[in-house]
Amino acid sequence: MNWIAENGRIKLLLVSRPLKEFEFTKERELVRKEARKFDWAHRFEINPEDAIPQIIQHAVRHEGLKFDEDRLNDVKEFVRGNLYILVFAILAAKEKGKPLHEIGDEDITKQVDDYIRGRRMPQFKSLHEKVAESFSKEELDPDEERELDDMLKFIALTSQFELPLGEELIAELVKVKVDEVRRFMRPLRDSGNVVELREGNRRSYIIPHARLARLMSDVLVGSEDEKVDFYLAYIKEGDYPGTLIKQLSDEPRAFDYTLDLLKGKKFVDIPIGHLNITEIIAALYPLEKNDCAILLTTHKEAILSKSFIDASMEDIGKFLFDIADCDKEFAKRMIQKHENEILPKVSLFRNSPISNIGWFLYGITEANEEFARKIVQSHKKEIVSKSLAQNLDDVGDFLSGVAKADTNLANEITQEHKEVIKQQLQTSRLDKWLEFWLLISAANEEFAFETIVNLFYDTAIQKLQEADREQLINLARPVYFLESLGWKFSSFEKSRIRSFTQRLICHYKDIIIQKFGSVEAMPDELAQTIKNCTQPPNPLKTDA
C-alpha cells in the first residue's frame, strides 16, 4: 500500500480484491502496519457478474454455438455467477453439439471430471495426464491416481475459501511422504493449475481460482462426512483454522450441515493457543455465547498470554470485543495483563486510519469502559482533529467507537465535522446511509437518534423520500438487514438497533406512510411498528 501510494509513476491500478494495509519490514517480512489510507483519485468497482449476459453472447458468436436468445436468462441463472461453469458449459455444448441453453449439471460434472482425470486433446491435457507425463508415463497406475485425486480433493476443499493447504497435512492425510506431495504437485505448479507458496523450506498449495476449486471438490469429495472429517483435521492442524470456521459460518445454505456436524464433534475443543489474534477473532466469530465461553475456559492461559505488540489497532479492538461478548471479566483481565502493550498504540492516533481508531475504542470500551474513557479524554485533541473526509464506512467505524467510549466527545466531533459528514450522507446509497446509522446505534442508541434528528434531519428526509418500498422494509427488520451484510451483534446491541429504528420510524412515519399510500398497504412488521407509535407526527424542520 505505502509503496504504491508513494510511487508517482503508477497511473492505473487494477486489483481483484480490496487493498489491505501491509508493509514490508527491513527484514523483508510481510507484517500488518498502521499504514495510511491510499488516496484514490478515481475509484471504480466492476462486478464481473453484471457482464455475464454479454460474455455469454460473445462466447456463442465466437464459438459458433447454437443458442436461443430467449433463453439468455436461463443460462445466466445456470452459470450462477461462476464463469468456470460457463467455460465448461461451452466445452460440453461443442462436444455434444447441443445448444448452450440445453446444457445441465451432469454435463458440467463430466467436463470437470475430464479436466481432472480424462483424456483431453493435446492442447488441453487433464491434470492426471500432466502428472503422468512428468513421470514419463502414458498414464498413472491406480495407486498414483488415488493419491493424486486425494491431494487435489484436499487442496480444493481449502482453495474454495482461498486458503492454502500445507504439504505436511496433505502428506498425513494421503499417507505419503512430503517429497511425494512435491513430486505430484511440481508439474501442476509449472502449468499454473496450482500455486505453490513457500515459507522457508516449507511449501503449501492452493488452486488459484476459488470457484474452480469448488467445482473440483464437488467431483472429488465422496460424501459430506468425508468433507467434515477433513475440516476437522484442518481445524486441528491447518494454518488458518479460525478463518475456515468463519468462512463455513458465512456459507449458511451450502455448509449448515457441515457446521452442525462440526459442532456435534465439539470443535470448541480445538487447540487455538498457537494461533495469532486474527485467527482467534475468526474462530470466535460464529460461536454461540456458551460455546465461546467454553473455548475461553479451555484455553484460558494460552489466550491470556497472547501479545498485542505486533497486532493492529483494529485487530486489538475486534479481539477484545469478541472476548468481552463471551466473558466480560476475561476481557478485563486481558486489558490488565497487556495494558503496557495497548497504551503505546494510542500514541499512533495522529497518523492512524480513523476506522482502526474506531474499532480500537469500540473493543476496549466493550471490555473496560473506564479504561476507554481515560484514553479518549487524554487524547481528545488528536481524535477531534482527525479528518472525516473519507469513506462513509470508515467514518461510521470511527464515530461508533468514539460514541461508545464517550458520548460528549462524539457530539463534539459531529458538530466540528457536520458539513463533511452531511455531504457524505447526501451522496451515499440508501443502504449505506441506513447501515451507517444502524451501526452507530448499536454502539450508542441515544447519540445516533439525537444526531440524526437534530443535525441531519433534512438528509434523513431526503434519503427516505428516495427509498423504494423494499428498502424501507429494512427499517422494520434492521438486525436481519445488517446480518445479511455479514455483521454480528451481541444481544444488547441488537436491542439498541431495534429500539433506534422503532424511534426513527415513528419520527418519520408521515413520509413512510406516504410512500406506501396507507398503513394497511405496508408489510405486517412495518405496519405494526407504525401502529405502535404513540407520538404525533413531527413538524418538518431543516438541519440546524
Side-chain angles (χ1 to χ4, degrees), residues 123-181:
Q123 65 269 37
F124 293 115
K125 291 179 181 176
S126 69
L127 303 186
H128 275 225
E129 287 176 315
K130 291 178 181 179
V131 174
E133 187 177 85
S134 75
F135 292 175
S136 301
K137 292 182 172 185
E138 284 290 323
E139 59 184 31
L140 300 174
D141 64 41
D143 285 342
E144 290 171 333
E145 288 183 341
R146 177 192 58 78
E147 290 167 359
L148 177 57
D149 281 351
D150 283 348
M151 291 178 196
L152 292 171
K153 169 177 63 183
F154 298 133
I155 295 170
L157 281 170
T158 55
S159 296
Q160 65 183 324
F161 298 118
E162 301 183 350
L163 296 175
L165 184 59
E167 60 186 359
E168 303 94 336
L169 186 52
I170 298 172
E172 178 185 330
L173 293 169
V174 182
K175 297 180 173 57
V176 297
K177 293 180 179 180
V178 167
D179 285 346
E180 278 295 282
V181 176

Side-chain angles (χ1 to χ4, degrees), residues 17-75:
R17 297 289 186 276
L19 288 175
K20 294 183 179 179
E21 295 170 32
F22 288 92
E23 285 182 327
F24 280 105
T25 64
K26 290 180 180 178
E27 293 76 24
R28 304 301 294 166
E29 293 180 4
L30 194 62
V31 296
R32 185 73 177 267
K33 291 284 186 182
E34 300 296 339
R36 64 184 173 81
K37 288 287 182 183
F38 186 82
D39 294 322
W40 296 93
H42 300 285
R43 180 175 180 170
F44 301 96
E45 292 186 8
I46 300 172
N47 183 356
E49 294 181 16
D50 295 339
I52 282 179
Q54 290 89 341
I55 294 172
I56 292 171
Q57 290 170 326
H58 173 77
V60 167
R61 290 193 303 270
H62 186 265
E63 300 293 341
L65 300 177
K66 300 174 185 176
F67 183 62
D68 182 349
E69 286 287 341
D70 293 337
R71 301 288 297 277
L72 180 62
N73 282 335
D74 293 341
V75 176

Side-chain angles (χ1 to χ4, degrees), residues 237-294:
E237 301 181 48
D239 296 327
Y240 304 97
T243 301
L244 176 63
I245 291 169
K246 184 178 183 300
Q247 294 275 28
L248 286 170
S249 73
D250 285 343
E251 297 265 357
R253 287 183 295 278
F255 292 102
D256 264 354
Y257 177 60
T258 302
L259 212 54
D260 286 344
L261 286 175
L262 284 169
K263 288 180 179 177
K265 294 189 179 185
K266 299 189 183 302
F267 77 104
V268 293
D269 293 334
I270 62 171
I272 66 168
H274 67 289
L275 302 181
N276 60 33
I277 285 176
T278 305
E279 283 300 302
I280 293 176
I281 293 169
L284 293 175
Y285 175 82
L287 297 185
E288 298 294 335
K289 190 166 185 174
N290 289 341
D291 287 341
C292 181
I294 292 171

